[in-house]
Amino acid sequence: MKTAVVILNWNGLQHLQHYLPQVVATTPDADIVVADNGSTDGSVEWLREAMPQVQLVLLDKNYGFAEGYNRALAQLEGYDVFVLLNSDIAPAEGWLAPLVEQLAQSDDVAVVVPKILDDKNREKFEYAGAAGGFIDMLGYPFCRGRILNHIERDCGQYDNVCDVMWGSGAAFCCRAEVFAELGGFAAEFFAHQEEIDLCWRVWLSGRRVVVEPRSKVYHLGGATLSVDSPFKTMLNHRNNLAMLYRCASPAQRLLVAVMRPLLDFAAALSYLAQGKTKSAKAVWQAWRDFLRWHGRLSAERKAIRSNVKREAPIYKGSILLGRKTFQELRIKS
């Protein structure tokens, strides 16, 4: 299967200099592409001089993660598989072959993701993806290996191949034809949770998302927006609400409509109590945008849910009830 490993870059010269040689060294059987989102830090010049074996796709400005990838992948023809890789990822030896093998072996698998570990502490899972992700009935994402802010050590407890609801966009292997058929990422999301939204639509289309733990990568994380960024807070709240409106079953959508305004109001109050007024405002901005998008989201929901072939594997409880590990949730995986 002809494969392109595509790294989206925006002013990430230091990460490219550190991580890209490792990607090249561990990825002999794929074309490596850097899609540049209008960088101004010398990234393109360095790539041309230091990494001539890497293909360049140049975008005219920063389109964000979602639309940046949509535009870049639309320019790449003749590939069976796209592997989206963050610029701050160090792959382990032999990381790519197990991912492509999963797609080759199972026609109904559209997305396969590796086990993602923390590049700063390689014994622990990494927050963004760990060993594959799920969401609960209220729409909160979590992972095998990470619930809320509790991150587990990797002791081999999640070393089985299994279906997951979503995989992190930090290292995301997808059939090229499925990415195109489903319209790629939701461009209006800009960044954050667009990969969950896409995986949800993969499930609704009758395909599967799988984690392949024989493949390992190490992720630095926080390369674009810090944990405390109000903009990141806004994106996460807004995009989560939009995703749920677009994709959730009627029962889940009703529960979210009742509970999430209360929970998000509580979150905003918590930010205020901590003196984080900009983060509290970000929650309000998220709801403002979500309500403004209501008409378009309604049309998108109708299109997405008009021909559901199977529902995504949603955890029927809530991770807000105090459990700290995925194993405590007793989800079959």
Side-chain angles (χ1 to χ4, degrees):
M1 302 179 80
K2 189 176 181 183
T3 302
V5 175
V6 187
I7 298 169
L8 188 69
N9 174 66
W10 180 67
N11 288 340
L13 176 59
Q14 290 185 338
H15 289 310
L16 291 175
Q17 290 173 330
H18 180 75
Y19 288 100
L20 186 56
Q22 300 177 64
V23 176
V24 171
T26 57
T27 315
D29 299 324
D31 294 337
I32 298 174
V33 180
V34 173
D36 189 79
N37 242 342
S39 293
T40 58
D41 66 344
S43 293
V44 173
E45 292 78 8
W46 178 80
L47 286 163
R48 284 174 169 156
E49 181 176 346
M51 306 296 290
Q53 69 272 52
V54 173
Q55 182 179 339
L56 272 173
V57 172
L58 302 180
L59 303 177
D60 61 318
K61 65 179 182 179
N62 181 14
Y63 288 96
F65 186 97
E67 182 65 358
Y69 264 123
N70 288 349
R71 287 174 176 261
L73 299 185
Q75 297 184 43
L76 301 177
E77 298 180 352
Y79 290 101
D80 303 300
V81 178
F82 291 135
V83 183
L84 314 186
L85 204 66
N86 275 18
S87 62
D88 58 346
I89 288 277
E93 288 290 339
W95 72 285
L96 183 58
L99 302 178
V100 178
E101 286 173 11
Q102 279 292 332
L103 295 180
Q105 292 169 4
S106 303
D107 290 342
D108 66 337
V109 173
V111 174
V112 57
V113 292
K115 182 163 64 173
I116 304 180
L117 301 169
D118 188 344
D119 194 37
K120 301 184 292 294
N121 182 351
R122 292 191 170 195
E123 295 181 353
K124 297 187 73 174
F125 289 107
E126 202 276 324
Y127 180 95
F134 290 86
I135 67 168
D136 70 6
M137 279 296 286
L138 295 172
Y140 293 108
F142 61 98
C143 304
R144 301 194 321 154
R146 190 272 297 175
I147 293 182
L148 297 175
N149 291 321
H150 183 269
I151 301 172
E152 298 177 53
R153 286 187 173 278
D154 176 20
C155 303
Q157 67 272 45
Y158 305 120
D159 275 357
N160 58 309
V161 176
C162 70
D163 289 352
V164 292
M165 193 274 187
W166 60 270
S168 171
F172 188 91
C173 178
C174 182
R175 294 185 190 275
E177 63 179 357
V178 174
F179 189 91
E181 176 193 324
L182 298 180
F185 295 125
E188 63 270 24
F189 281 24
F190 187 80
H192 294 292
Q193 302 200 32
E194 66 287 312
E195 75 270 54
I196 307 178
D197 176 88
L198 177 58
C199 287
W200 204 334
R201 289 182 281 125
V202 164
W203 277 104
L204 296 177
S205 74
R207 287 104 163 187
R208 297 160 53 213
V209 179
V210 168
V211 61
E212 171 49 270
R214 288 184 299 156
S215 174
K216 293 193 298 186
V217 302
Y218 302 94
H219 185 206
L220 179 63
T224 305
L225 294 171
S226 70
V227 174
D228 292 329
S229 164
F231 184 49
K232 184 172 185 175
T233 297
M234 188 279 292
L235 290 174
N236 272 317
H237 278 266
R238 182 194 69 187
N239 295 349
N240 185 261
L241 292 167
M243 172 183 70
L244 289 161
Y245 194 90
R246 281 158 52 95
C247 299
S249 68
Q252 185 181 17
R253 181 185 171 202
L254 177 60
L255 180 63
V256 168
V258 173
M259 295 300 299
R260 280 296 294 274
L262 300 173
L263 291 167
D264 285 0
F265 180 69
L269 289 180
S270 176
Y271 284 131
L272 286 174
Q274 298 172 62
K276 299 179 180 179
T277 55
K278 290 183 179 180
S279 294
K281 184 179 179 181
V283 177
W284 174 83
Q285 291 171 329
W287 273 91
R288 178 200 62 191
D289 285 357
F290 170 62
L291 294 173
R292 285 176 176 174
W293 291 359
H294 189 271
R296 188 184 73 245
L297 291 174
S298 295
E300 291 172 356
R301 175 180 175 81
K302 184 177 180 180
I304 290 169
R305 302 246 358 141
S306 63
N307 188 27
V308 172
K309 292 184 171 60
R310 73 167 106 186
E311 294 289 351
I314 307 296
Y315 173 52
K316 301 305 181 184
S318 173
I319 60 170
L320 301 181
L321 298 179
R323 295 175 178 86
K324 291 187 176 181
T325 70
F326 180 85
Q327 291 163 316
E328 292 179 70
L329 301 176
R330 302 183 182 278
I331 298 174
K332 291 182 180 181
S333 65

